[in-house]
Amino acid sequence: MGKFWVKRLLVALLFILFFSQAYSLLFFHSLSFDEHAHVASGYVYLKTGRFPGGWNNPPFGQTLLGLPYGLGFFDYHPETGVPPYAGRAVNVLLAIFLGLGIYSFSKTLFGPWGGLLSLALFTFSPLIVAYSTIATTDLPVSVFPLFFLYCLYLVYRDQKTLWLIPAGAFLAFSAGCKNNALIIVAFAPFILLGPSVKEKEKTTTYLRNLFILFFSAWFFFCATHCFHGCFENKPKVNFKPLQLLAPILPTKAVESVASHLDIAAHGRETYFLGQHKMDGFLSYYPLMFLMKSPLGTLLLFFLFLCFLIVSRQRDFLAELH
């Protein structure tokens, strides 16, 4: 058996191992407090076209979770207190899609063995396995940004602007899953500088790419809201950039983002590490990131940074000599 087939069998084995873990945990987890809020919002949106705004987030991620119920494949009875297993299954499928993206992106950058290593780390990541087996929007909002970056890398590698259209779609799907993803939208113009550096007409190329990316993103973002309220009068918002974009954005998106900006400006009542504050804690997110990240992930990331620093120093010393 050649190396080609060995690698393919290893890839298949890793996906089977991931699916077996996720499938068993899907029925094992008790009901999370926000699962039905997400699934019910997507279900109501599919059935009535009215989005109730579960947990004040955009509709796309929650619509995906409610899809099996909204399309009539399963009956939906949240009052029974039974976990939404079909909604959880959607996240398992999205996680497999994420695994394919991680493998493909890593293989493109580092070759087949690099892709296999990345896929193995994905398969046995306790965070990925855990979040892929509950019906929340944390997993969907992790999937689409990866494919957005992958498409931008292909624009840089192949110098083909056609990749900007799926990049815009994945950017829109990211923002359509959770408002946290808006930070990627804010950084997108800076990330896009990379694919423009190879061209002679750098400024022209950059502006063209920026227009294609954000026009595609705007179109698909409006599509995730079924174009409801895209050109209607919007409530007044205090944040200037949002005020300028509000006339062409869906009404629900404007209201949702404005609410999150208000929370960011004034804080939120929080109980954290034995203390209570009405305006939140600045240390909350850094500490929660460290507390929720597995020790192995943090150590691996630290080792990668050390390797990167040593490699850069070697390159610098080689240039001096």
Side-chain angles (χ1 to χ4, degrees), residues 162-285:
L162 191 63
W163 284 111
L164 287 168
I165 297 174
F170 287 124
L171 183 62
F173 297 156
S174 303
C177 285
K178 207 167 184 178
N179 283 326
N180 301 27
L182 290 173
I183 193 169
I184 304 168
V185 179
F187 279 102
F190 303 102
I191 300 171
L192 195 59
L193 285 169
S196 306
V197 296
K198 284 187 176 181
E199 297 280 351
K200 293 180 179 179
E201 299 290 337
K202 292 180 182 178
T203 304
T204 306
T205 302
Y206 175 71
L207 292 175
R208 180 198 64 198
N209 290 351
L210 198 65
F211 174 78
I212 295 172
L213 175 69
F214 277 99
F215 181 81
S216 303
W218 169 79
F219 177 82
F220 285 105
F221 184 70
C222 291
T224 63
H225 290 73
C226 299
F227 296 94
H228 290 160
C230 285
F231 299 101
E232 297 175 358
N233 292 326
K234 307 294 191 304
K236 188 177 180 181
V237 292
N238 296 323
F239 189 58
K240 289 280 185 178
L242 183 60
Q243 197 171 8
L244 292 171
L245 293 171
I248 60 170
L249 291 176
T251 304
K252 281 288 183 183
V254 175
E255 292 174 350
S256 177
V257 174
S259 173
H260 274 72
L261 289 172
D262 183 64
I263 291 170
H266 300 99
R268 175 183 281 176
E269 184 179 4
T270 310
Y271 183 79
F272 184 56
L273 297 179
Q275 294 182 333
H276 176 263
K277 286 181 71 176
M278 294 302 296
D279 55 353
F281 296 83
L282 288 174
S283 60
Y284 179 83
Y285 282 108

Side-chain angles (χ1 to χ4, degrees), residues 41-240:
S41 292
Y43 174 75
V44 170
Y45 194 42
L46 287 165
K47 284 293 187 181
T48 67
R50 180 181 60 84
F51 182 63
W55 293 104
N56 203 20
N57 274 309
F60 185 64
Q62 297 176 81
T63 303
L64 290 175
L65 298 175
L67 205 59
Y69 302 106
L71 295 180
F73 296 126
F74 299 92
D75 293 329
Y76 185 53
H77 299 289
E79 69 279 0
T80 61
V82 176
Y85 295 120
R88 290 177 173 184
V90 170
N91 266 354
V92 172
L93 295 176
L94 283 173
I96 292 172
F97 185 51
L98 174 62
L100 285 169
I102 288 172
Y103 173 71
S104 301
F105 200 175
S106 185
K107 182 182 175 184
T108 303
L109 291 171
F110 307 112
W113 290 112
L116 273 170
L117 175 61
S118 298
L119 183 59
L121 293 171
F122 159 83
T123 299
F124 299 108
S125 168
L127 279 180
I128 298 294
V129 174
Y131 277 106
S132 65
T133 50
I134 56 174
T136 64
T137 54
D138 297 295
L139 195 281
V141 81
S142 303
V143 175
F144 300 114
L146 174 82
F147 283 92
F148 163 66
L149 293 173
Y150 190 19
C151 289
L152 283 191
Y153 172 76
L154 293 176
V155 173
Y156 177 78
R157 188 194 68 178
D158 301 339
Q159 291 298 294
K160 290 184 178 178
T161 54
L162 191 63
W163 284 111
L164 287 168
I165 297 174
F170 287 124
L171 183 62
F173 297 156
S174 303
C177 285
K178 207 167 184 178
N179 283 326
N180 301 27
L182 290 173
I183 193 169
I184 304 168
V185 179
F187 279 102
F190 303 102
I191 300 171
L192 195 59
L193 285 169
S196 306
V197 296
K198 284 187 176 181
E199 297 280 351
K200 293 180 179 179
E201 299 290 337
K202 292 180 182 178
T203 304
T204 306
T205 302
Y206 175 71
L207 292 175
R208 180 198 64 198
N209 290 351
L210 198 65
F211 174 78
I212 295 172
L213 175 69
F214 277 99
F215 181 81
S216 303
W218 169 79
F219 177 82
F220 285 105
F221 184 70
C222 291
T224 63
H225 290 73
C226 299
F227 296 94
H228 290 160
C230 285
F231 299 101
E232 297 175 358
N233 292 326
K234 307 294 191 304
K236 188 177 180 181
V237 292
N238 296 323
F239 189 58
K240 289 280 185 178

